[in-house]
């Protein structure tokens, strides 16, 4: 069965860094568009970053220059390196996989990130 398991979340001070990981299994990882989303209570889930099967990346304006998405196809894992964290980055972060623009979508269960002093 398909699994996306996020890890690496936690509590960090403003200006600090965290590295999130999403371990994938049960599908042909290298062919999928991988994304990170985040959501806070009472707000819609928002797209943070994407990386295509060929390695092309895109970022939300709010995180551009601070976050880096990457993937390791051999390890079937996608990462989100988060630097210069701000309190407004506090959210549950979710991993997403999609095969093509109209393909099926898989979601992880999420990992919590709290940025606070």
């Amino acid at each position: 069965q398909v699994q996306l398991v996020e890890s690496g979340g936690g509590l960090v001070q403003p200006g600090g860094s965290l590295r999130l990981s999403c371990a994938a299994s049960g599908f042909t990882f290298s062919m999928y568009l991988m994304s990170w989303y985040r959501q806070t209570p009472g707000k819609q889930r928002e797209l943070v970053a994407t990386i295509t099967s060929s390695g092309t990346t895109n970022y939300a304006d709010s995180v551009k220059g601070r976050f880096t998405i990457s993937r390791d196809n051999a390890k079937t894992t996608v990462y989100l390196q988060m630097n210069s964290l701000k309190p407004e980055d506090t959210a549950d972060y979710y991993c997403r996989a999609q095969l093509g623009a109209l393909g099926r979508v898989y979601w992880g269960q999420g990992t919590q990130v709290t940025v606070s002093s």
Side-chain angles (χ1 to χ4, degrees):
Q1 67 241 47
V2 170
Q3 280 193 303
L4 294 173
V5 181
E6 300 97 331
S7 62
L11 175 64
V12 65
Q13 293 184 341
S17 297
L18 282 175
R19 188 196 193 205
L20 306 183
S21 298
C22 173
S25 61
F27 62 98
T28 308
F29 176 83
S30 62
M31 298 180 65
Y32 277 67
L33 173 73
M34 301 300 300
S35 303
W36 287 97
Y37 285 73
R38 66 186 181 187
Q39 187 171 27
T40 56
K43 297 185 64 178
Q44 295 186 52
R45 189 169 296 184
E46 65 174 339
L47 178 63
V48 176
T50 63
I51 183 166
T52 69
S53 59
S54 62
T56 301
T57 59
N58 282 283
Y59 301 91
D61 288 340
S62 59
V63 307
K64 195 170 298 182
R66 300 187 297 120
F67 290 11
T68 302
I69 188 172
S70 62
R71 67 193 296 161
D72 187 334
N73 288 339
K75 295 181 178 179
T76 65
T77 300
V78 62
Y79 305 94
L80 185 67
Q81 178 66 48
M82 305 185 295
N83 299 325
S84 302
L85 283 162
K86 305 174 181 180
E88 48 263 48
D89 295 319
T90 296
D92 291 330
Y93 283 73
Y94 297 89
C95 180
R96 179 184 184 267
Q98 181 170 11
L99 181 61
L102 273 58
R104 65 176 61 202
V105 173
Y106 303 113
W107 289 93
Q109 294 299 303
T111 185
Q112 187 175 37
V113 172
T114 302
V115 184
S116 177
S117 57

